[in-house]
Amino acid sequence: MHYVWLDADPGHDDVTAILLAVYLDNIKLLGISTVHGNSSAYWTGVNAARALYAFDAPGDIKVYPGAVKPLTRKAHYAPNIHGEDGLGGVVGIPQPDSPEVQTRFACHDDGSIISALEGMITAITDTWKSGAGHKVSVVSSGPMTNIALFISTHPELLEAVEQFVFMGGGVGLGNATPVAEFNVLCDPEATQIVLNCPVKTVMVPLNVTHTAIATQAIHTRLCASVDQDSTSNIAPSTDLRLMLSSLITFFAHTYKEVYGFEDGPPLHDALTIAFVSNPDLFRSRRYHVDVECHGQHTTGETIVDFWDFEKCDETWGVGGKNCLVLESLEVERFFDMFLDCADRCDRVSPLNTKQ
């Protein structure tokens, strides 16, 4: 069993990561902290709560709102990709002020919201049990502000972290600038803090996520129920599948309009959870990686030392080959995993029973 804390900025593809984290048998999701990124911190928190409700997640999995801005920079969002509220075009999800959403936030006894940092500290401490329990994989599908704050303020808990896995960066390409990926560009200083940490760190870059395309064939399989013929285009057979279909459709439209993706949108963030569950789906290699924080044209670029110019050792963090960089994915097996989780969720989702 892999114990996971997910830090996210939902975002269409973050929702697919939440789906996998809830339904993969070997993942124990401890909680979700949310962060500025695809939309404001208000909306990312609401959207994580909406996803937990739609996916009928266990009631003890809660949302813990976190950083509203980067460590040193102004926040900026991605409405051209995700819409103003982060889940543009997605149908069937409850309103932000609905009880279904509000009960998914973690609260103190007095009703005040428990913050991301407090939630992470408690969950990791309680899971680790001073070495008698289990280490936790900390997974990021958004800017890493919350995680950098955790590392900086609670270094004594780093021994309880199995690995930091983040969707971000690219090797020679970007999607927010010619060289910078969005999550890293939002808070490059936070990413560097994570890379400097003496704990195993795994980068899921654009080079790999751009191969995880939700094609029309995948979309058709998603719309079908398990007992339908999924060889031709059909309307979604349930309200849960309609929600997921609308998510894919909106995301496909914006990715085609902004980036020219013709075959469908990439499900970037789901690959983080897929890696924790089954790293054999990927090929990877260790490198020293840094983030450009001051470049006139290159801020946010992830610098991967292919040729070992730094002469690094095999440790994690500063001075070592500090990052396992994913290089390829078994795409068909990944989508089989994703669609199996959708099938399992479809049997229990409250979206299918809500009147």
Side-chain angles (χ1 to χ4, degrees):
M1 183 65 68
H2 302 283
Y3 294 80
V4 169
W5 183 272
L6 176 60
D7 191 79
D9 64 336
H12 297 72
D13 49 331
D14 303 79
V15 170
T16 65
I18 294 171
L19 176 67
L20 295 190
V22 171
Y23 281 95
L24 286 172
D25 287 333
N26 65 346
I27 297 291
K28 171 64 175 176
L29 181 60
L30 302 174
I32 301 176
S33 52
T34 54
V35 66
H36 66 91
N38 287 325
S39 190
S40 69
Y42 167 79
W43 281 114
T44 60
V46 164
N47 292 341
R50 286 166 153 175
L52 289 178
Y53 167 74
F55 298 152
D56 195 39
D60 61 343
I61 302 175
K62 298 291 188 180
V63 175
Y64 302 79
V68 302
K69 62 179 290 295
L71 295 177
T72 65
R73 301 170 185 261
K74 293 181 179 179
H76 68 276
Y77 313 124
N80 60 328
I81 299 296
H82 295 282
E84 292 294 335
D85 70 352
L87 288 181
V90 179
V91 301
I93 51 178
Q95 293 298 310
D97 59 353
S98 67
E100 297 94 336
V101 170
Q102 292 303 312
T103 57
R104 291 289 177 166
F105 286 95
C107 295
H108 295 287
D109 291 341
D110 64 2
S112 60
I113 296 290
I114 302 175
S115 71
L117 192 57
E118 184 178 352
M120 292 176 69
I121 293 164
T122 300
I124 292 171
T125 300
D126 291 350
T127 303
W128 176 234
K129 302 182 188 303
S130 299
H134 305 277
K135 290 193 174 189
V136 176
S137 290
V138 178
V139 176
S140 168
S141 63
M144 287 195 281
T145 313
N146 290 333
I147 298 173
L149 290 170
F150 167 76
I151 291 169
S152 300
T153 58
H154 287 79
E156 75 281 1
L157 286 179
L158 292 180
E159 65 176 351
V161 177
E162 182 76 27
Q163 57 189 344
F164 293 105
V165 180
F166 71 97
M167 189 277 124
V171 183
L173 80 160
N175 65 356
T177 76
V179 296
E181 181 274 330
F182 177 81
N183 288 340
V184 175
L185 182 65
C186 281
D187 200 342
E189 287 80 10
T191 307
Q192 188 65 62
I193 287 171
V194 177
L195 288 166
N196 287 348
C197 180
V199 173
K200 178 183 177 181
T201 299
V202 181
M203 183 169 92
V204 186
L206 292 175
N207 312 69
V208 175
T209 67
H210 280 180
T211 69
I213 302 297
T215 63
Q216 184 58 55
I218 296 297
H219 194 170
T220 299
R221 289 173 62 191
L222 178 64
C223 288
S225 66
V226 293
D227 57 353
Q228 279 181 302
D229 176 13
S230 60
T231 59
S232 60
N233 294 341
I234 57 172
S237 57
T238 66
D239 286 343
L240 181 278
R241 293 181 188 277
L242 176 61
M243 185 275 274
L244 292 172
S245 174
S246 67
L247 182 151
I248 296 293
T249 298
F250 184 90
F251 205 29
H253 173 75
T254 58
Y255 252 79
K256 182 176 181 179
E257 186 175 73
V258 176
Y259 299 115
F261 277 51
E262 295 288 342
D263 296 330
L267 300 190
H268 305 282
D269 295 334
L271 298 190
T272 58
I273 300 297
F275 173 81
V276 176
S277 173
N278 187 359
D280 290 342
L281 290 175
F282 302 85
R283 291 181 58 193
S284 60
R285 185 174 175 185
R286 275 183 72 174
Y287 298 100
H288 185 82
V289 178
D290 284 308
V291 179
E292 177 56 69
C293 295
H294 306 291
Q296 180 179 354
H297 302 293
T298 57
T299 295
E301 181 177 9
T302 42
I303 311 301
V304 180
D305 187 3
F306 279 110
W307 307 115
D308 198 22
F309 284 111
E310 300 295 326
K311 304 302 179 187
C312 294
D313 58 32
E314 295 299 316
T315 59
W316 301 102
V318 178
K321 291 185 178 179
N322 61 345
C323 193
L324 184 70
V325 179
L326 304 191
E327 297 183 323
S328 66
L329 165 70
E330 292 190 34
V331 175
E332 184 175 347
R333 289 178 63 197
F334 163 71
F335 276 110
D336 286 344
M337 168 190 287
F338 171 72
L339 293 167
D340 178 67
C341 288
D343 288 344
R344 296 177 61 192
C345 179
D346 194 40
R347 299 186 185 106
V348 297
S349 171
L351 298 185
N352 295 339
T353 58
K354 191 173 178 64
Q355 299 300 317

